[in-house]
Amino acid sequence: LACACASLSLVAGATTYDWTGDASTVWDLAALNWTTDGGQTACAFAEGGDAVFDVNDKLTVSVSAPVHPTAMSVTVAADKQLMLDYAVGSTSCFSTTMSVEKKGAGTLFFNRENGSTYGSGDFPEGSVLDIQEGTVRFYGKNVPSPCTPRNIVIRSGTTLMVTTPGSFGAIGLSSPVSIQTAGRVLFSSGPSACTPRISAPSHVTD
């Protein structure tokens, strides 16, 4: 898993879109909630772009269409949260290979609470989640890999939470997981859900 342990960066050549939320709290390919020039001009997100969030509050963003970023860089301040709320049924919103870099002591929350099951197209082969600081949480019906990123790095002092409500079945990780000392993985589920598991080769590093 050496490739996942290196610090991630935004993709060279891709357009970087910084979230402003000036028009709404919707992430699709039409809402003018982004800027590419330091805030001078509002624009919509385009597929294949790099998405940057810098969150200093509790923010819920409705992902209302497949948006397919190449990379995401998310910084969330302590005691704050960015919730990416899937609002498109079972459609995969992140079905292209991408890297997600999480910084800041707050929480990045991928939420499918409203009836939508994580699809097998989410976070395909080659996707990487690097939790450098704080917490990343996945919540919804059936939350196994490949519905979470294929390679996960849980750095020292950080947490990955995987939760499924009620009696819905699968919960676990079949992705390679690299857990540094003092990194944590937390599973929680309804009373009828199957036993949480990490079924892929994983290792703990200093």
Side-chain angles (χ1 to χ4, degrees):
L1 196 58
C3 63
C5 294
S7 178
L8 302 177
S9 60
L10 297 180
V11 177
T15 301
T16 298
Y17 292 84
D18 293 291
W19 173 264
T20 64
D22 288 344
S24 65
T25 56
V26 173
W27 185 2
D28 57 15
L29 302 178
L32 304 180
N33 284 319
W34 304 85
T35 183
T36 60
D37 58 7
Q40 298 182 52
T41 307
C43 64
F45 188 83
E47 289 189 18
D50 293 341
V52 177
F53 291 88
D54 192 351
V55 177
N56 294 293
D57 204 343
K58 291 186 177 180
L59 172 65
T60 298
V61 173
S62 177
V63 187
S64 60
V67 290
H68 303 156
T70 299
M72 290 175 56
S73 177
V74 179
T75 302
V76 184
D79 301 318
K80 307 302 180 185
Q81 174 179 278
L82 169 61
M83 177 188 290
L84 297 179
D85 189 13
Y86 289 61
V88 290
S90 60
T91 301
S92 297
C93 300
F94 304 117
S95 59
T96 51
T97 299
M98 72 171 184
S99 300
V100 181
E101 182 180 74
K102 166 62 177 64
K103 297 180 179 179
T107 299
L108 169 59
F109 188 173
F110 293 92
N111 181 45
R112 279 185 183 258
E113 182 177 10
N114 297 315
S116 148
T117 300
Y118 278 97
S120 61
D122 281 318
F123 301 106
E125 190 71 35
S127 296
V128 178
L129 169 62
D130 186 354
I131 311 175
Q132 297 188 7
E133 297 173 305
T135 299
V136 173
R137 183 182 183 193
F138 288 89
Y139 183 97
K141 301 176 183 179
N142 298 325
V143 203
S145 175
C147 310
T148 53
R150 296 302 182 94
N151 295 286
I152 301 173
V153 182
I154 305 167
R155 296 183 184 269
S156 181
T158 69
T159 301
L160 173 67
M161 300 177 65
V162 183
T163 306
T164 189
S167 59
F168 297 100
I171 180 172
L173 299 172
S174 57
S175 306
V177 180
S178 174
I179 307 173
Q180 294 187 355
T181 302
R184 301 189 303 166
V185 180
L186 303 178
F187 293 105
S188 62
S189 61
S192 300
C194 63
T195 303
R197 67 200 183 278
I198 298 178
S199 56
S202 304
H203 65 271
V204 176
T205 61
D206 291 329

